[in-house]
Amino acid sequence: MKKLLVLAFFIPFLSKAQFTISNNSTTSLVELRAGTWPLDLQRIIKNTDTCYVLEFRDQQVTTDVNMATLRFGDIGQLRWFEKGLTTLKSTGSNGETLNYKAYTLKRVDVKSDKDPKKSVIWYLVTTNDGPVTNFQQSEADKMIAAIKTL
């Protein structure tokens, strides 16, 4: 009887766990656009790993909804993205392109419909595997502010 009690005591330690507790979450840092052409900067936490993702609809495909992501492996890579946006805003000119390992970031100045003397700054992000998105300076400013708070 004593042997059975001792054996019953050690069985839970010898067997593998039936479940594991994991810490997974996805948080939207800033949702720039919703609707037909969404643009969302997210933080994804899986256990002890944190990455950041820019989620968008690929603008090359207009007949179907093709969602794409640009993944930043850590906060450092996300800060390089923010520095690129800041640099293109302050010292960049029309057509200037910044090349990164996984994507390119390009500034495009477009003449305003309301005032032909003024131009609106757009940014074009192209990932190395193909998907493309664009956003205006106001959306870039919101992204820059959100990244700086991290």
Side-chain angles (χ1 to χ4, degrees), residues 21-135:
I21 298 173
S22 61
N23 181 14
N24 296 336
S25 69
T26 301
T27 307
S28 178
L29 299 174
V30 60
E31 185 176 4
L32 301 165
R33 287 190 305 240
T36 307
W37 300 99
L39 184 63
D40 190 19
L41 183 61
Q42 302 173 343
R43 175 179 32 222
I44 300 173
I45 300 172
K46 290 188 177 180
N47 295 328
T48 59
D49 185 34
T50 301
C51 71
Y52 300 87
V53 171
L54 182 65
E55 185 178 51
F56 57 92
R57 180 177 171 187
D58 186 1
Q59 295 190 353
Q60 296 179 106
V61 182
T62 57
T63 56
D64 293 327
V65 176
N66 184 17
M67 294 300 290
T69 58
L70 174 58
R71 185 177 187 272
F72 304 100
D74 59 13
I75 189 70
Q77 291 177 5
L78 185 63
R79 292 205 192 277
W80 276 107
F81 179 71
E82 178 262 325
K83 287 179 185 178
L85 288 173
T86 304
T87 301
L88 287 176
K89 175 185 177 181
S90 59
T91 61
S93 60
N94 186 25
E96 190 167 342
T97 303
L98 299 176
N99 294 311
Y100 293 92
K101 184 177 180 180
Y103 62 96
T104 60
L105 183 60
K106 183 176 183 177
R107 175 181 166 160
V108 179
D109 296 350
V110 179
K111 296 288 181 189
S112 174
D113 293 337
K114 297 175 184 175
D115 186 3
K117 294 179 183 177
K118 291 186 178 180
S119 60
V120 178
I121 299 172
W122 284 79
Y123 297 97
L124 183 69
V125 177
T126 307
T127 63
N128 286 352
D129 55 348
V132 175
T133 190
N134 60 19
F135 47 89

